[in-house]
Structure formats: structure tokens, C-alpha cells
């Protein structure tokens, strides 16, 4: 289950906010009490360049609280945009699908299919209200602090191979690719060709 995945890993999956296309987050917040609990975290999320999609009940709740979202139809509906087609096309970057507590619904209808398709497509999935609130807060925090906006001169970050590599490149004047080909036409022989099948030490 997603709850066994670290919060850092979930935040990592949506860390590139603002890079490339606008990130899409699907929220199906379950019971009204859960919607109300998640409301402050979702309102804070609006400060980021994110496109919110919501199932009908959550979409109505968002409208009541002036949160812009796109209504996405249930899997059982034939209308678009539809949850199933978005999941099949890997068009969500994060899915928050809070269980309703109705075992018949959670086990046999859209809720199960949403979870299954998210897992199959490697889309970060949250099914717990507290984890959802904490993850959204972490996303907003990382975005505001520029956690993932690496700079070559920023020594406050933990050691990073890519960062260290680019520092060395800059210190040594940039990239240099010394590459030469020698004509082997007169070096090829049957014995030399056989060396292609031996270990590297013998080749040397």
C-alpha cells in the first residue's frame, strides 16, 4: 500500500512542479469530513501551477469553497474527461483517492479501479487523509523553498554527483572530447579478428 511508501518518495514524484507541462492532480476526497480536513492543504496548493481534477462530489465541494477544478467523470460513465482514459494515458501526476468507508463501493466500483490503474501506471497514489494532507503540505513547502532548483554555487544542498560533476567541468574550462580514429584496414588479420572473442586483458 502507498502508506508504506515514504513521504519523501511521494513528494519526489511531483517535485518538478513548473517544469514542462502543468502538473495534474486527481482528488477524490471521500466523505464530507475528509473533504473539510483536506481543505486548507488544497487551498495552499492553489499557489502552485497545478491543474486539479475532481470526482463529482469533490468537485461540488470545491465549487462551494471557490477552488477551481475540472470535473472528471466516473469510470462507469461514458462521458469525457473520464478517470479511466486519463489513467490509461498516464495523464495524472498524483492521485488522492480517499476511501469512503463503504466496503461495497471501495471494493467493487470506481475506487478499486482507480487504485489498480494508478498502481499499474506507476502514478503516486494516496488513500489516507492524513498522508494526503502531509504530502500536499510537503509539495507546497518544497516548491516555495526551491528544494529541487539546484544551483551550481549552492553549497547548502547535500552532496550530489551531478552537481559535483558540473562544478568540476566548469573549474576545468568546460567539456573537451578528444576523439580520433586510426585506419585499421591494414591491421586486420584472421588472428586479430579472433581476439574479438577473448577477454579485455588479452586484447590489451
Amino acid at each position: 500500500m502507498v502508506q508504506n511508501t515514504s513521504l519523501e518518495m511521494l513528494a519526489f514524484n511531483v517535485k518538478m512542479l513548473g517544469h514542462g507541462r502543468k502538473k495534474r492532480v486527481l482528488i477524490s476526497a471521500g466523505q464530507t469530513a475528509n473533504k473539510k480536513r483536506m481543505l486548507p492543504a488544497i487551498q495552499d496548493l492553489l499557489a502552485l501551477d497545478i491543474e486539479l481534477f475532481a470526482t463529482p462530489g469533490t468537485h461540488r465541494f470545491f465549487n462551494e469553497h471557490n477552488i477551481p477544478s475540472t470535473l472528471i467523470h466516473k469510470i462507469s460513465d461514458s462521458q469525457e474527461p473520464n478517470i479511466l482514459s486519463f489513467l490509461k494515458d498516464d495523464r495524472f501526476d498524483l492521485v488522492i483517492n480517499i476511501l469512503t468507508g463503504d466496503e461495497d463501493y471501495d471494493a467493487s466500483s470506481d475506487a478499486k479501479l482507480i487504485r489498480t490503474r494508478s498502481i499499474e501506471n506507476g502514478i503516486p497514489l494516496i488513500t489516507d487523509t492524513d498522508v494526503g494532507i502531509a504530502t500536499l503540505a510537503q509539495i507546497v513547502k518544497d516548491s516555495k523553498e526551491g528544494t529541487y532548483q539546484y544551483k551550481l554555487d549552492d553549497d547548502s544542498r547535500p552532496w550530489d554527483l551531478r552537481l559535483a560533476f558540473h562544478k568540476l567541468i566548469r573549474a576545468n574550462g568546460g567539456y573537451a572530447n578528444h576523439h580520433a580514429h586510426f585506419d585499421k584496414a591494414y591491421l586486420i588479420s584472421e588472428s586479430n579478428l579472433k581476439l574479438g572473442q577473448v577477454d579485455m586483458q588479452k586484447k590489451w
Side-chain angles (χ1 to χ4, degrees), residues 46-108:
L46 296 179
L48 308 183
D49 189 25
I50 291 178
E51 186 174 4
L52 284 181
F53 290 80
T55 49
T58 301
H59 179 69
R60 288 192 296 272
F61 179 82
F62 284 170
N63 282 341
E64 293 170 1
H65 293 84
N66 299 314
I67 295 176
S69 68
T70 299
L71 170 64
I72 189 158
H73 296 283
K74 293 183 177 181
I75 293 174
S76 56
D77 295 337
S78 59
Q79 301 181 68
E80 290 290 342
N82 187 279
I83 294 173
L84 183 59
S85 60
F86 267 60
L87 288 172
K88 281 183 175 179
D89 295 338
D90 194 18
R91 293 166 69 181
F92 289 125
D93 299 284
L94 175 66
V95 172
I96 298 178
N97 179 217
I98 306 302
L99 302 182
T100 64
D102 181 342
E103 292 185 3
D104 290 334
Y105 174 79
D106 289 336
S108 63

Side-chain angles (χ1 to χ4, degrees), residues 157-193:
R157 305 294 179 204
W159 185 86
D160 177 85
L161 176 61
R162 180 178 179 276
L163 181 63
F165 177 67
H166 281 283
K167 282 186 175 181
L168 287 172
I169 291 172
R170 188 174 63 176
N172 287 280
Y175 288 96
N177 183 5
H178 302 286
H179 198 146
H181 286 276
F182 294 95
D183 188 350
K184 297 182 177 66
Y186 299 102
L187 301 177
I188 297 175
S189 65
E190 185 176 354
S191 61
N192 283 340
L193 287 175

Side-chain angles (χ1 to χ4, degrees), residues 16 37 49 95 140 147 168:
M16 299 306 292
R37 286 181 59 203
D49 189 25
V95 172
V140 173
T147 301
L168 287 172

Side-chain angles (χ1 to χ4, degrees), residues 128-145:
D128 179 85
T129 304
D130 291 329
V131 175
I133 292 170
T135 301
L136 294 181
Q138 187 68 43
I139 292 169
V140 173
K141 179 176 180 290
D142 286 339
S143 180
K144 288 181 177 179
E145 294 180 355

Side-chain angles (χ1 to χ4, degrees), residues 25-39:
V25 177
L26 169 63
I27 299 181
S28 179
Q31 298 176 346
T32 302
N34 291 329
K35 292 181 176 72
K36 290 180 178 179
R37 286 181 59 203
M38 293 189 67
L39 181 60

